[in-house]
Amino acid sequence: MFITPVSEDDAEGDLAAYYRSQRAAWGFLPNYAAAFSTRPDVAQAWNALNAAIRDGMDRRRFEIATIAAARARRSTYCTAAHSKFLRDVCGDEATMQSITEQPDGAALSDQDRAVYEFAAKVAADAASVDTQDVNRLRAAGLTDPEIADVVFASSARCFFTAVLDGLGAQLDIQTAGTFPDDLLNSMVVGRPVAPRG
């Protein structure tokens, strides 16, 4: 981390509660939590926004869009974490592996590829999105509310990846360790994995 965060031992009040919630969710305190140690209120606002977007759309689509956005933003942390969610929460190891082995999304189904490429474009250069991009999603079977959800997921990821990378948070070794080296290496698109110890 580029700043000196409040440690778990020194955390009080809202920050201590935030750290506890993150440790409970992951089984360890993830490195990204320290990025919010000066502003636990921002962490809670992010949690609420992320949950509202994720829980209001198809979870598998959320993960595909999020991975696309994370890769476009060169976020190793979010690329790996959401690849893990796609595999473990959505039970879709095949799609996770497909994206990891072919990060351009070329091996995905037509609808998944349309979502993946659109989410990446929103994250990389939202001003370049045009009617043709949206119509491609419609042609792939998405409704307008579903298209908006993909934009919400991708846009929200831009905030989180910028916070983590802007403050120097690195992917936890615990998460990295859930992948074989060849797959993990494809997920290291920006900052390296945190060193051991």
Side-chain angles (χ1 to χ4, degrees):
M1 292 287 296
F2 300 145
I3 62 172
T4 302
V6 178
S7 72
E8 193 171 10
D9 289 341
D10 292 337
E12 299 177 347
D14 289 345
L15 179 60
Y18 173 64
Y19 280 172
R20 283 193 301 272
S21 71
Q22 298 310 294
R23 181 174 284 283
W26 290 85
F28 60 90
L29 185 65
N31 291 335
Y32 71 72
F36 293 94
S37 70
T38 62
R39 292 292 304 274
D41 57 329
V42 174
Q44 295 299 344
W46 159 252
N47 285 348
L49 175 63
N50 187 53
I53 295 168
R54 181 192 64 215
D55 298 345
M57 65 185 291
D58 177 80
R59 178 62 186 264
R60 181 178 173 277
R61 182 174 294 152
F62 171 83
E63 298 302 345
I64 290 170
T66 298
I67 293 166
R71 282 187 172 275
R73 301 289 295 183
R74 297 185 54 236
S75 170
T76 297
Y77 210 134
C78 290
T79 296
H82 288 275
S83 294
K84 182 178 186 302
F85 294 152
L86 180 59
R87 181 191 67 193
D88 298 347
V89 176
C90 301
D92 193 352
E93 183 168 4
T95 300
M96 181 276 297
Q97 188 149 350
S98 172
I99 294 170
T100 304
E101 292 174 352
Q102 293 186 255
D104 62 356
L108 296 172
S109 69
D110 289 346
Q111 186 179 85
D112 287 347
R113 185 174 181 182
V115 167
Y116 185 85
E117 291 177 350
F118 181 77
K121 188 171 186 178
V122 169
D125 185 7
S128 72
V129 172
D130 59 27
T131 304
Q132 285 185 322
D133 297 312
V134 174
N135 285 340
R136 181 181 174 209
L137 289 177
R138 289 186 180 121
L142 273 70
T143 64
D144 281 11
E146 289 171 334
I147 293 166
D149 283 338
V150 174
V151 173
F152 297 150
S154 182
S155 302
R157 193 54 37 186
C158 292
F159 165 76
F160 198 66
T161 60
V163 169
L164 271 54
D165 282 327
L167 292 175
Q170 292 176 285
L171 176 66
D172 310 283
I173 58 171
Q174 296 94 327
T175 301
T178 69
F179 298 104
D181 288 345
D182 59 333
L183 291 184
L184 178 64
N185 289 340
S186 176
M187 297 176 193
V188 180
V189 293
R191 294 199 183 283
V193 176
R196 293 185 176 275

